[in-house]
């Protein structure tokens, strides 16, 4: 039986970072993962360049960019380990990076640079890493520690950290291990569901738009009502089965099944005024005028739905133009579902924050910690989820 101060299960962003920090604080650390490859989700993120944090996180109100039963939970960790702290580490390792937009920071070269940095931090901390190595059983010992039956034999540790992530992208090894461990020790979980995921629509209702696959444009997108209304200004992408792009990935974390989403397809234009003005001066077909403000393929698909719109703009009735402006500025539709975990960037839900300490990430089961995506804290698209991984790992490592 090999002994360690702490065993960390899951060699993704949070697990690697926590292991390095804990090792550098003098702890004997074992990091293990059932996958052969390390940090595959980091490797494929941000188009292979890893959107590793976001400068725009408001450290006074970090919960503004996070979803969960209690978004305030993440405030403590995020305010104690900020984007500036992580950027300093990236710079120390000489990794070149750039800001794309909206505070999103990416590696210049490749996400592999970030993984190499995390592995170097683990090496500095003398971390033992076993991969591939699954955990068959986890149990408490009489002395208050833990024993784990692993594929490489039994180990014992005073403390165990679960950093196994969620259910997203099973093709690269996602499992429900973390949720099973939480349930084994009587901790509550919030029902997981796909987050940051494309939305799908049914055949007949979607038929007029199916031909628009590949078309992208800036929109305003919203869901919910009154104080539960959430709005994003981002790019929308039409797909064969529905809608994607940053706008839809963002709104998917707030969308409830059966609820509508509303999209303004021409947010920069006062369409009623623009169409009224065109009617006064133009002899062009309405579809050609419309193509000034939305992509021409979208204009064609739109006017094809109503005979009143298939004529010169000067011959369209005011009512028909008002109806067109209203539809484009407030396109309301009800998704039939999502593309599921295979296309979801993150998992919503997870270990209930009511059963975790926001200071240390320790659960109500003494010596058992949960960090990163396995917890019911989900960030917006744009580097927020990585910052949660770093901050929750830092909070945990500081208390181990």
């Amino acid at each position: 039986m090999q002994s360690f101060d702490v065993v960390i299960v899951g060699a993704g962003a949070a697990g690697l970072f926590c292991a390095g920090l804990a090792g550098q604080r003098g702890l004997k650390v074992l990091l293990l993962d059932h996958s052969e490859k390390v940090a595959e989700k980091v490797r494929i993120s941000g188009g292979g360049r890893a959107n590793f944090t976001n400068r725009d996180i408001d450290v006074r109100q970090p919960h503004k960019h996070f979803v969960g039963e209690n978004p305030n939970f993440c405030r403590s960790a995020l305010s104690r380990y900020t984007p500036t702290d992580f950027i300093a580490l990236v710079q120390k390792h000489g990794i070149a990076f750039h800001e794309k937009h909206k505070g999103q920071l990416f590696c210049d070269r490749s996400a592999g640079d970030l993984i190499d940095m995390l592995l170097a931090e683990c090496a500095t901390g003398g971390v033992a890493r076993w991969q591939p190595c699954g955990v068959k059983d986890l149990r408490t010992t009489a002395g208050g520690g833990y024993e784990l039956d692993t594929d490489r034999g039994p180990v014992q540790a005073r403390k165990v950290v679960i950093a196994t992530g969620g259910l997203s992208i099973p093709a690269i090894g996602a499992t429900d291990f973390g949720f099973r461990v939480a349930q084994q020790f009587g901790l509550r979980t919030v029902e997981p569901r796909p987050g940051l995921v494309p939305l799908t629509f049914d055949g007949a209702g979607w038929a007029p738009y199916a031909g628009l696959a590949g078309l992208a444009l800036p929109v305003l997108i919203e869901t919910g009502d009154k104080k539960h209304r959430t709005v994003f200004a981002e790019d929308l992408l039409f797909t064969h089965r529905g809608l994607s792009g940053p706008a839809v990935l963002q709104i998917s974390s707030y969308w409830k099944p059966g609820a509508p989403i509303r999209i303004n397809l021409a947010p920069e234009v006062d369409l009623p005024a623009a169409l009224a003005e065109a009617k006064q001066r133009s002899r062009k077909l309405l579809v050609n005028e419309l193509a000034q403000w939305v992509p021409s393929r979208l204009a064609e698909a739109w006017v094809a739905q109503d005979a009143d719109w298939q004529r010169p703009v000067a011959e369209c009735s005011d009512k028909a133009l008002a109806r067109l402006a209203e539809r484009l500025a407030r396109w309301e539709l009800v998704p039939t579902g999502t593309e599921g975990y295979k296309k979801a960037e993150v998992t919503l839900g997870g270990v209930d924050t009511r059963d975790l300490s926001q200071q240390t990430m320790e659960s109500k089961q003494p010596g058992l910690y949960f960090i990163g995506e396995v917890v019911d804290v989900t960030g917006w698209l744009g580097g927020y989820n990585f910052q949660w991984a770093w901050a929750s790992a830092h909070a945990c490592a500081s208390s181990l």
Side-chain angles (χ1 to χ4, degrees), residues 76-269:
S76 174
L78 286 163
S79 57
R80 286 181 291 139
Y81 192 84
T82 67
T84 308
D85 294 319
F86 192 75
I87 291 164
L89 182 65
V90 168
Q91 288 170 328
K92 185 180 119 186
H93 283 260
I95 297 172
F97 62 91
H98 60 278
E99 182 173 333
K100 216 167 178 179
H101 66 136
K102 297 189 173 179
Q104 300 170 12
L105 301 186
F106 291 78
C107 298
D108 279 1
R109 211 179 64 81
S110 147
D113 291 344
L114 200 66
I115 297 169
D116 291 345
M117 178 191 88
L118 294 167
L119 290 172
E121 289 288 306
C122 285
T124 302
V127 174
R129 185 160 58 86
W130 295 357
Q131 276 184 276
C133 181
V135 176
K136 297 194 275 279
D137 189 36
L138 168 64
R139 59 190 171 271
T140 53
T141 63
Y146 292 87
E147 281 179 4
L148 298 89
D149 293 332
T150 83
D151 294 343
R152 300 194 189 183
V155 294
Q156 61 183 24
R158 290 186 297 111
K159 297 181 175 184
V160 172
V161 178
I162 305 297
T164 47
L167 303 174
S168 312
I169 327 181
I172 59 168
T175 74
D176 65 348
F177 179 85
F179 305 146
R180 293 202 312 268
V181 169
Q183 283 155 359
Q184 175 189 339
F185 288 100
L187 306 174
R188 293 171 282 192
T189 56
V190 175
E191 185 69 33
R193 65 184 202 279
L196 299 181
V197 65
L199 298 173
T200 56
F201 299 85
D202 66 4
W206 191 245
Y209 315 107
L212 296 173
L215 182 74
L217 70 160
V219 300
L220 277 180
I221 190 166
E222 65 174 72
T223 193
D225 291 308
K226 297 184 180 139
K227 69 178 171 105
H228 298 297
R229 177 171 165 264
T230 304
V231 187
F232 288 100
E234 289 280 7
D235 283 359
L236 177 77
L237 174 69
F238 284 82
T239 70
H240 291 291
R241 287 162 44 85
L243 295 171
S244 186
V248 169
L249 299 186
Q250 292 283 42
I251 212 72
S252 71
S253 295
Y254 293 87
W255 172 71
K256 302 276 192 288
I261 58 170
R262 293 174 293 277
I263 303 171
N264 183 343
L265 291 161
E268 304 293 305
V269 187

Side-chain angles (χ1 to χ4, degrees), residues 4-60:
F4 295 88
D5 293 319
V6 57
V7 172
I8 298 173
V9 186
L16 277 166
F17 193 49
C18 186
L21 291 171
Q24 288 172 38
R25 285 161 186 255
L27 296 176
K28 188 181 177 189
V29 180
L30 171 64
L31 173 65
L32 47 80
D33 196 296
H34 70 108
S35 288
E36 208 167 308
K37 293 181 175 167
V38 67
E40 272 299 274
K41 205 166 175 190
V42 177
R43 194 179 303 283
I44 65 168
S45 69
R49 289 198 172 166
N51 178 192
F52 58 82
T53 191
N54 194 301
R55 273 194 212 278
D56 291 351
I57 291 180
D58 180 347
V59 292
R60 291 177 307 279

